[in-house]
């Protein structure tokens, strides 16, 4: 089992995060976009934690404070991904714990996440972490 640490993201993690996002989440992102997005993080309301082993980021979780008019304040997971080579080593659980601790430090006690309908392995992982799936949704986007 690989030894790893959980830490806050750094701009030099961009190449690894882009690769993990392409591999695990299927998003065609590039490192320059990820680097710019890391630099533009609003630390007053969001954070990214990475799992590092062998001087590389092998997983990450991106979290934000999430407010709506119709529900209490929550933390929303914007992205959770672990490299295929490092799954089932406790990395995902450690990233979730870091995000949950971040929420509690902010006085927030509810977490929300969305997961694609085909990602059944991820759904089982979230259930093992104590999360309940309460409804199915259809996600719409429109490029402007």
């Amino acid at each position: 089992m690989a030894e790893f640490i959980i830490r806050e993201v750094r701009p030099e993690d961009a190449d690894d995060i882009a690769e993990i996002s392409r591999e695990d989440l299927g998003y065609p992102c590039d490192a320059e976009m990820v680097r710019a997005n890391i630099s533009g993080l609003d630390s007053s309301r969001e954070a990214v934690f990475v799992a590092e082993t062998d001087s590389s980021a092998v997983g990450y979780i991106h979290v934000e404070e999430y407010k709506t008019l119709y529900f209490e304040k929550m933390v929303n997971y914007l992205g959770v991904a672990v490299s295929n080579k490092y799954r089932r080593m406790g990395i995902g659980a450690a990233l979730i714990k870091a995000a949950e601790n971040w929420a509690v430090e902010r006085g927030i006690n509810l977490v929300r996440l969305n997961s694609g309908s085909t990602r059944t392995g991820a759904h089982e992982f979230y259930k093992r972490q104590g999360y309940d799936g309460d409804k199915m949704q259809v996600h719409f986007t429109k490029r402007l």
Side-chain angles (χ1 to χ4, degrees):
M1 183 175 293
E3 295 289 321
F4 63 91
I5 62 165
I6 304 297
R7 60 167 174 77
E8 290 190 29
V9 71
R10 298 188 291 245
E12 55 268 25
D13 296 319
D15 290 325
D16 294 332
I17 290 173
E19 177 63 29
I20 294 164
S21 297
R22 287 189 300 267
E23 168 192 292
D24 186 51
L25 301 176
Y27 294 125
C29 66
D30 64 71
E32 288 309 310
M33 179 186 65
V34 173
R35 190 171 286 103
N37 289 342
I38 290 169
S39 295
L41 288 171
D42 179 355
S43 63
S44 72
R45 56 174 294 283
E46 65 182 320
V48 176
F49 300 99
V50 299
E52 178 187 301
T53 187
D54 299 326
S55 300
S56 296
V58 297
Y60 73 92
I61 188 166
H62 182 184
V63 298
E64 70 169 349
E65 288 188 10
Y66 183 76
K67 292 192 265 184
T68 66
L69 295 176
Y70 55 84
F71 215 77
E72 67 187 275
K73 186 162 47 169
M74 298 173 262
V75 164
N76 186 37
Y77 295 170
L78 297 172
V80 182
V82 175
S83 172
N84 288 332
K85 296 173 264 189
Y86 291 92
R87 296 231 176 107
R88 301 206 176 273
M89 297 181 180
I91 291 171
L95 288 166
I96 293 283
K97 188 65 178 162
E100 291 173 349
N101 289 342
W102 184 83
V104 169
E105 288 169 6
R106 294 172 155 340
I108 301 170
N109 59 15
L110 183 63
V111 176
R112 167 189 191 271
L113 70 94
N114 293 314
S115 183
S117 62
T118 61
R119 301 191 72 223
T120 56
H123 303 167
E124 292 305 314
F125 166 75
Y126 295 131
K127 288 177 187 175
R128 287 192 306 273
Q129 304 311 306
Y131 289 75
D132 295 318
D134 61 352
K135 65 180 177 178
M136 296 296 289
Q137 293 181 310
V138 178
H139 182 83
F140 294 92
T141 61
K142 178 181 179 182
R143 184 169 299 280
L144 303 176

